[in-house]
Amino acid sequence: AFNNPAMLGYLLKPEIGLQFENRYIISELSTKSFQFGLSSNLVNAGLSFSHFGYSLYHEMMFGLGFARNFSDKFAMGVQFNYYTAFFNASNSYRGTLFPQVGLSVKFSPVFSVGFNTFNPFQTNIKSEFVTMRLPSIFSLGSEYFFSPELVWRTQIDKEVSSNYRFATGFEYQMLKLLSIKLGAYGSDYLVPCLGFGFKIGAFQVDLNCELHPVLGLNSLAAIKYRFGNK
């Protein structure tokens, strides 16, 4: 829900998820998010919400996405995001609406490529005192399965006013219920990442962490429930 909206097209059963991210062990920099995906024969739909910040300053984003899988060869998706921020100086909210567009192409059963653009028209939020510039990001990623248990993913991001960001990672399904993830990303600094995934019936739990060489630890926990799975 917060990455490539085209991936919603591959959803086979409805699912719901919750996510919590804490940046650098500072509670004011935490992000809470929720997402729900609904599958159908014609088009899949998704609903998402995220909240970042604390009482004096916070940002929220609501997303409504639609995607379709075309014969399992490629998928296309679009998401409409409403982004709003609370400005303490004026004691008011300001928001704006912008699109997010994604494409995923499967060149073979083991290799696929995806493209995603977030806020492509560089929409900003304006208040009485300041203009808040929202990031405009273009991303290109790939996924390659060495085996059903081992996958390699890469991604390149470009925010229009920032440097390129490169990321790569491996995910290995060690056991039926356990997977391990190892990777890194960076532009100015190289940030190593480590994660674990657990599958318990219809539930999936992910625990991930990153170690920034200057800012410190960034941790993320997510839980997802897929309806119809035993």
Side-chain angles (χ1 to χ4, degrees):
F2 301 97
N3 296 283
N4 190 340
M7 303 309 294
L8 181 65
Y10 297 119
L11 191 68
L12 299 177
K13 296 180 180 180
E15 61 181 41
I16 188 171
L18 298 172
Q19 185 172 287
F20 177 80
E21 180 181 10
N22 179 252
R23 299 183 182 181
Y24 320 124
I25 321 180
I26 301 174
S27 60
E28 290 81 2
L29 298 181
S30 296
T31 300
K32 287 80 70 177
S33 58
F34 159 87
Q35 58 250 20
F36 174 73
L38 182 65
S39 58
S40 70
N41 294 328
L42 182 61
V43 64
N44 292 351
L47 181 68
S48 62
F49 168 77
S50 68
H51 177 281
F52 167 79
Y54 63 112
S55 58
L56 295 181
Y57 178 79
H58 49 273
E59 305 169 8
M60 294 181 290
M61 188 173 74
F62 304 84
L64 179 62
F66 302 93
R68 185 175 180 182
N69 179 5
F70 295 87
S71 303
D72 212 32
K73 298 295 183 182
F74 70 96
M76 298 181 64
V78 61
Q79 181 164 302
F80 301 96
N81 296 314
Y82 181 74
Y83 200 102
T84 181
F86 176 76
F87 293 88
N88 187 55
S90 59
N91 194 32
S92 62
Y93 287 91
R94 292 291 187 272
T96 188
L97 183 70
F98 59 86
Q100 183 176 350
V101 182
L103 173 68
S104 173
V105 181
K106 290 189 176 182
F107 290 98
S108 73
V110 299
F111 179 67
S112 60
V113 171
F115 172 78
N116 174 50
T117 175
F118 179 88
N119 188 22
F121 304 118
Q122 303 182 41
T123 304
N124 298 322
I125 295 178
K126 295 183 179 181
S127 71
E128 295 91 337
F129 306 102
V130 68
T131 297
M132 178 181 176
R133 194 186 68 83
L134 299 180
S136 181
I137 306 171
F138 298 85
S139 303
L140 181 67
S142 66
E143 182 179 67
Y144 182 80
F145 283 86
F146 292 99
S147 69
E149 296 81 18
L150 179 61
V151 58
W152 175 36
R153 297 185 176 98
T154 63
Q155 184 167 314
I156 302 175
D157 303 310
K158 180 65 174 76
E159 203 281 325
V160 292
S161 61
S162 305
N163 293 330
Y164 284 93
R165 173 185 178 272
F166 301 90
T168 187
F170 295 87
E171 182 172 351
Y172 179 62
Q173 190 76 33
M174 297 181 62
L175 303 169
K176 184 178 180 180
L177 304 179
L178 174 65
S179 62
I180 184 171
K181 293 164 280 187
L182 182 65
Y185 70 88
S187 53
D188 298 326
Y189 297 95
L190 183 67
V191 181
C193 310
L194 178 66
F196 298 91
F198 307 90
K199 289 184 179 180
I200 307 170
F203 287 93
Q204 179 174 327
V205 178
D206 288 288
L207 303 173
N208 305 313
C209 63
E210 309 167 357
L211 185 60
H212 194 281
V214 176
L215 300 176
L217 184 68
N218 184 28
S219 58
L220 185 147
I223 183 170
K224 180 171 63 177
Y225 178 83
R226 180 167 295 173
F227 295 90
N229 280 15
K230 297 182 179 180

